[in-house]
Amino acid sequence: MADAPVSTPDYSEAVETALGKLDLEAKARLLAGQDMWSLPALPQIGLASLVMSDGPIGVRGVRWSADDPSVALPSPTALAATWDPELARRAGTLLAQEARRKGVHVLLAPTVNLHRSPLGGRHFECYSEDPCLTGEIASGYVKGVQGGGVGTTVKHFVANDAETDRFTVDNIVAPRPLRELYLAPFEAIVENARPWGIMAAYNQVNGTTMTEHRHLQNEVLRGAWGFDGFIVSDWMAARSTVGAILGGLDVAMPGPRTVYGDALAAAVREGHVDESVVDDAARNVLRLAARVGILDGVDAAVTELPAAVDGPALAREIARRAFVLVRNEHDALPIDPARVRTVALSGAAARDARVLGGGSATVFPERVVSPLDGLTAALPEGALTYTVGADPSDEPAPADQGFELRAVCRDAAGNVLGTGSLPTGQVQWIGDDLPAGVTHEALHSVEVTGTFTPRESGEHAFGTRGIGAFALRVDGHTLWEGTQPMGDASDPFEAFFGAPAERGRAHLSEGVPVEVSLRHTVHRGADVPLTAVMFSLTHLGPRRDPDELIAEAVEAARSAEVAVVVVATTDRVESEGFDRRDLRLPGRQDDLVRAVAAANPHTVVIVNSGSPVELPWRDDVAAVLLSWFPGQEGGAALADVLLGHAEPGGRLPTTWPAALADAPVTEVRPTGGQLPYEEGLFIGYRAYDRAGTRPAYPFGHGLGYTSWEYESLEVTPTQAKVRVRNTGARTGRETVQIYLVPVADTVERPRRWLAGFASVEAGPGEAVEVEIPLRGRAFEIWDEEAGEWVFVPGQYEVRACRSLADVCLSVTLEV
């Protein structure tokens, strides 16, 4: 398991001294965001402005810009697929290094909500369906970030397990599943990693908004668990001044308009809130400031920083350690370049890989290595052919490949206020994230302008995304002028940003640059959820007959010794702000795989998605490798694994159903504002066991390039000791998983559950012994009547497994 948490000094004296110098207005101001990403400085006590940034897989900083690129690590589902808290700690160390470089003090991560239903749209940003795995991986992440002197905010507290109506939904969760599943990762992280922050979610739990949930925030999180960090709202989640401060919320974000600040000071003066409550919240913020080193007169919690980390190298390592090989018939992988002279690669996602999830987790890496890039570099010249085969997207996406763009900002008179670079055609300026010299007050219009060099000849579609007035020109011609009204999406961000809409087409030639521009008159009105400019220039390349594309891929596959097909989701399928309707791959990708597999028995499929998708052809191909959203070095890591320079090290952190109809828990859409968690304790593999349904691939499943023998298992009530031997011909890594199975249960519980795990490495013929702690909580349940944890004695079968469904050794333990 990962190293111990950072041991922080006792800042009580410094905090009290600073607090004593602040009047009510200053304290209330300290608890309110001054802008999108920061809290105000208070020079009278030597307090600098505290800066926060999104950071699950990279540190974007305070601007939505590629001017200061960020290392992009693989998605959280990928990190969990490594089953290695120590690797997660190293990821955290790198992100702390990135945060310090960008002047960021607190990362708004990790996300530890559970994969309750496979339809959850943001599951790529969460770790797992299992609270034990989630808690251990996230604890490693928190230790790494905070060991680098940067704070974390573990989110979203709690039961924010879907996106539909996330601002208003009331999730009805009984006390046992709330404690044993949804609160469990937070509790484990507080105990094991001592996080410096928690983020309160948008949703309600059992009738109370989480930013006002006194029981869960004050009595459970702070009281029972002893959490001593700060609690910050999710952005725009705080709705009530009195309700939030009495409910335990310390900081309301973003600013400058929040329910704290002047409103909080007034609530104290009017007798609605005791000033001592404000003092407690201010203490939590001042303690955080001391920990991250922005309060004069005290040393930061970390004064000796970790050694520098090579970001791209770590991104590549995590990616290959995260890839999960779920099928490998007749040792189709690895591919031996000495014997395989021709490889046919197909799939639009092989050329334009999706390396990270959409929404607030977005960062802009300096480079992205696609599967096509990675395999081209790794294989001998002429060995690789590429065909598109099938494109997962049939609607315009933010202008990217081939575009060189900038934004020109003007006032109402047409005067240029400033200009800014754009990483894509997407403008997303929130709060003060504006080009130099530009203010929201003066800004009247933004023109996205530049050139586009097509990769293909044909009819190119251009469009817009966002609300307000637009004028679109391509190659000197006006394609569209008009106004887009506010959408009707339940999520205000989605409604504001809208869906992409095609506005016109132009016939363009490969390699011939053309001028493009999109002028947008900034929308202002009461329906805007925050001070922001958000819109996109969108593009879709020439649409060819899908059957012709598939036929080209089939012809190439038939002529090659190995066919590799990359299939993927899109940001209209998996992203923050909405849930999925189904688990199908978009477009004609399934047809592509079937056709290629029929032409070449040595077909390998790479699945580029952040969470489960249906794979109806899975038994018809030679190998299936899940690459998740693999980060900026994903293509290089893929080449490493496909060609055998490294083995795929991942194991499934969540169950993959054969079809959505087989998933026992699917409901993510509220009825009458409520979403009852009627399944209780039975989500993920627990639900499959209860329903007697066999998934496509079970929890914990994953294949490697060597073989293992489990030689011995010894157990006590606090530990399992397992000895395994690498019986193959190459060095490999094994994930030893320990499950508990009550022999004759006296209470209602799942059939079995994960109690611990460890990742081990061994050379050919080498044996290694690992000790895996069994925490007491694994033998306990939450007694709803007593309101406390209760130990359940009896006989337990302790299983040492390669996956949930692959039991290697078992021992009966009496406790």
Side-chain angles (χ1 to χ4, degrees):
M1 299 301 173
D3 295 341
V6 175
S7 178
T8 60
D10 182 358
Y11 292 112
S12 299
E13 184 176 348
V15 166
E16 292 304 319
T17 298
L19 185 65
K21 297 177 182 178
L22 299 178
D23 60 17
L24 174 61
E25 285 71 18
K27 289 181 288 191
R29 192 165 66 251
L30 175 62
L31 305 181
Q34 69 174 348
D35 53 29
M36 189 66 185
W37 302 112
S38 69
L39 298 182
L42 297 178
Q44 65 267 41
I45 58 170
L47 176 67
S49 176
L50 184 136
V51 179
M52 295 170 264
S53 171
D54 288 313
I57 57 100
V59 184
R60 189 172 60 247
V62 299
R63 296 194 179 276
W64 195 271
S65 167
D67 290 343
D68 184 10
S70 307
V71 174
L73 297 178
S75 64
T77 43
L79 189 59
T82 70
W83 288 62
D84 190 344
E86 171 58 24
L87 189 58
R89 184 196 62 77
R90 291 171 56 203
T93 300
L94 169 65
L95 295 181
Q97 175 180 300
E98 285 279 280
R100 295 193 308 271
R101 181 175 66 81
K102 289 174 176 266
V104 169
H105 305 113
V106 175
L107 285 188
L108 304 173
T111 305
V112 301
N113 302 112
L114 298 184
H115 296 178
R116 174 180 166 266
S117 160
L119 293 176
R122 201 176 179 180
H123 281 349
F124 62 86
E125 196 179 317
C126 310
Y127 291 114
S128 170
E129 69 188 30
D130 183 80
C132 173
L133 178 59
T134 296
E136 292 290 348
I137 297 297
S139 290
Y141 177 102
V142 169
K143 291 173 185 176
V145 174
Q146 294 185 175
V150 175
T152 57
T153 55
V154 187
K155 62 184 188 183
H156 307 87
F157 190 74
V158 60
N160 183 182
D161 309 300
E163 293 294 280
T164 304
D165 294 348
R166 60 178 173 161
F167 282 77
T168 57
V169 62
D170 183 7
N171 294 321
I172 308 302
V173 194
R176 267 196 76 187
L178 184 60
R179 289 283 187 156
E180 295 182 25
L181 294 177
Y182 303 103
L183 286 171
F186 291 94
E187 182 181 14
I189 297 161
V190 169
E191 178 183 355
N192 300 330
R194 301 297 179 195
W196 298 345
I198 296 283
M199 181 185 289
Y202 291 121
N203 54 282
Q204 302 175 57
V205 171
N206 299 327
T208 303
T209 299
M210 275 310 307
T211 51
E212 304 169 26
H213 213 303
R214 186 184 312 194
H215 170 62
L216 291 178
Q217 294 187 147
N218 284 345
E219 297 173 13
V220 176
L221 177 59
R222 292 202 186 280
W225 299 353
F227 172 70
D228 68 350
F230 89 129
I231 301 175
V232 60
S233 73
D234 203 341
W235 266 226
M236 302 194 311
R239 301 164 177 87
S240 163
T241 301
V242 175
I245 195 69
L246 295 181
L249 185 74
D250 297 318
V251 172
M253 292 294 292
R257 293 174 295 185
T258 82
V259 298
Y260 284 174
D262 292 342
L264 180 56
V268 172
R269 288 197 196 89
E270 293 164 5
H272 302 303
V273 175
D274 193 280
E275 189 169 352
S276 65
V277 179
V278 177
D279 288 346
D280 287 341
R283 286 186 181 96
N284 294 328
V285 175
L286 291 170
R287 187 181 306 113
L288 172 67
R291 285 169 167 167
V292 300
I294 60 170
L295 182 64
D296 282 354
V298 293
D299 290 333
V302 177
T303 54
E304 295 185 18
L305 296 173
V309 179
D310 184 326
L314 182 58
R316 185 170 180 169
E317 179 184 353
I318 294 173
R320 61 191 182 218
R321 289 277 308 279
F323 292 157
V324 181
L325 184 60
V326 293
R327 178 177 173 86
N328 194 24
E329 294 299 291
H330 309 298
D331 294 327
L333 292 180
I335 299 167
D336 184 352
R339 294 191 297 176
V340 175
R341 296 183 300 277
T342 54
V343 176
L345 178 66
S346 63
R351 181 181 64 184
D352 300 322
R354 189 175 182 202
V355 301
L356 48 82
S360 60
T362 301
V363 296
F364 304 103
E366 187 170 14
R367 69 166 192 166
V368 169
V369 183
S370 70
L372 178 57
D373 295 333
L375 287 170
T376 298
L379 289 169
E381 186 175 355
L384 185 71
T385 62
Y386 172 71
T387 55
V388 172
D391 194 327
S393 177
D394 60 358
E395 64 180 13
D400 188 3
Q401 299 292 334
F403 288 85
E404 293 186 9
L405 303 170
R406 68 184 188 280
V408 180
C409 302
R410 293 183 172 88
D411 62 18
N415 300 310
V416 174
L417 300 172
T419 63
S421 66
L422 291 178
T424 70
Q426 180 170 322
V427 173
Q428 186 158 311
W429 299 331
I430 303 176
D432 292 336
D433 180 10
L434 292 167
V438 181
T439 65
H440 285 286
E441 292 73 21
L443 182 62
H444 179 262
S445 69
V446 180
E447 183 181 16
V448 174
T449 182
T451 62
F452 171 51
T453 305
R455 296 186 295 185
E456 303 167 89
S457 296
E459 195 172 53
H460 290 252
F462 295 85
T464 63
R465 186 181 182 195
I467 60 174
F470 295 94
L472 173 63
R473 290 178 61 84
V474 175
D475 198 20
H477 303 285
T478 298
L479 294 189
W480 182 73
E481 283 192 66
T483 301
Q484 176 67 40
M486 174 74 89
D488 59 0
S490 62
D491 188 293
F493 288 101
E494 279 297 300
F496 182 40
F497 210 38
E502 182 180 322
R503 302 301 189 184
R505 299 188 178 194
H507 195 281
L508 306 176
S509 299
E510 178 185 350
V512 179
V514 295
E515 292 186 355
V516 296
S517 73
L518 176 65
R519 189 180 71 249
H520 170 61
T521 303
V522 176
H523 174 81
R524 304 188 192 281
D527 51 358
V528 177
L530 72 172
T531 304
V533 180
M534 300 167 67
F535 70 96
S536 293
L537 166 65
T538 64
H539 167 259
L540 183 66
R543 298 291 86 189
R544 292 182 54 200
D545 182 274
D547 291 329
E548 289 183 8
L549 291 176
I550 291 174
E552 285 181 0
V554 167
E555 186 60 31
R558 187 176 287 117
S559 304
E561 293 167 273
V562 173
V564 178
V565 184
V566 181
V567 296
T569 60
T570 71
D571 62 4
R572 299 292 293 161
V573 174
E574 287 186 275
S575 189
E576 179 180 349
F578 56 87
D579 293 308
R580 294 194 279 176
R581 296 279 180 180
D582 58 55
L583 300 182
R584 294 190 296 272
L585 287 166
R588 294 283 301 278
Q589 295 181 102
D590 287 333
D591 293 338
L592 170 65
V593 174
R594 290 189 182 99
V596 169
N600 190 324
H602 305 292
T603 294
V604 177
V605 182
I606 314 302
V607 183
N608 180 194
S609 70
S611 47
V613 291
E614 293 177 3
L615 310 175
W617 33 258
R618 64 188 181 279
D619 294 333
D620 302 325
V621 299
V624 179
L625 182 72
L626 311 182
S627 70
W628 313 106
F629 296 149
Q632 67 176 60
E633 305 297 321
L638 181 63
D640 291 340
V641 167
L642 292 184
L643 303 181
H645 304 312
E647 73 166 352
R651 303 295 183 265
L652 284 181
T654 200
T655 306
W656 276 51
L660 177 60
D662 297 331
V665 180
T666 58
E667 191 56 72
V668 292
R669 289 172 174 79
T671 300
Q674 292 188 334
L675 180 61
Y677 284 29
E678 294 176 343
E679 69 283 349
L681 299 170
F682 300 93
I683 66 169
Y685 62 83
R686 296 163 168 84
Y688 283 89
D689 279 348
R690 187 189 201 193
T693 304
R694 183 178 179 182
Y697 302 113
F699 180 79
H701 175 63
L703 309 172
Y705 289 162
T706 188
S707 56
W708 295 87
E709 179 182 353
Y710 280 57
E711 295 185 336
S712 65
L713 168 64
E714 301 174 20
V715 299
T716 70
T718 59
Q719 176 183 275
K721 184 185 296 184
V722 185
R723 181 180 177 85
V724 296
R725 185 178 300 277
N726 181 349
T727 56
R730 59 178 290 161
T731 297
R733 182 175 289 273
E734 176 70 336
T735 297
V736 181
Q737 303 165 36
I738 300 296
Y739 295 88
L740 294 184
V741 183
V743 175
D745 218 345
T746 57
V747 296
E748 183 186 35
R749 279 190 290 186
R751 174 184 159 197
R752 51 190 167 175
W753 57 90
L754 182 70
F757 59 91
S759 181
V760 299
E761 186 173 351
E766 184 182 354
V768 60
E769 192 169 76
V770 62
E771 297 178 353
I772 302 173
L774 298 179
R775 302 188 188 280
R777 185 56 54 77
F779 300 95
E780 296 176 343
I781 67 167
W782 181 259
D783 187 315
E784 293 186 342
E785 289 189 10
E788 61 184 21
W789 290 98
V790 174
F791 180 76
V792 182
Q795 288 189 331
Y796 291 82
E797 183 185 349
V798 183
R799 295 177 175 177
C801 304
R802 303 201 69 222
S803 77
L804 182 78
D806 188 355
V807 182
C808 297
L809 296 171
S810 66
V811 172
T812 299
L813 174 69
E814 182 87 34
V815 294

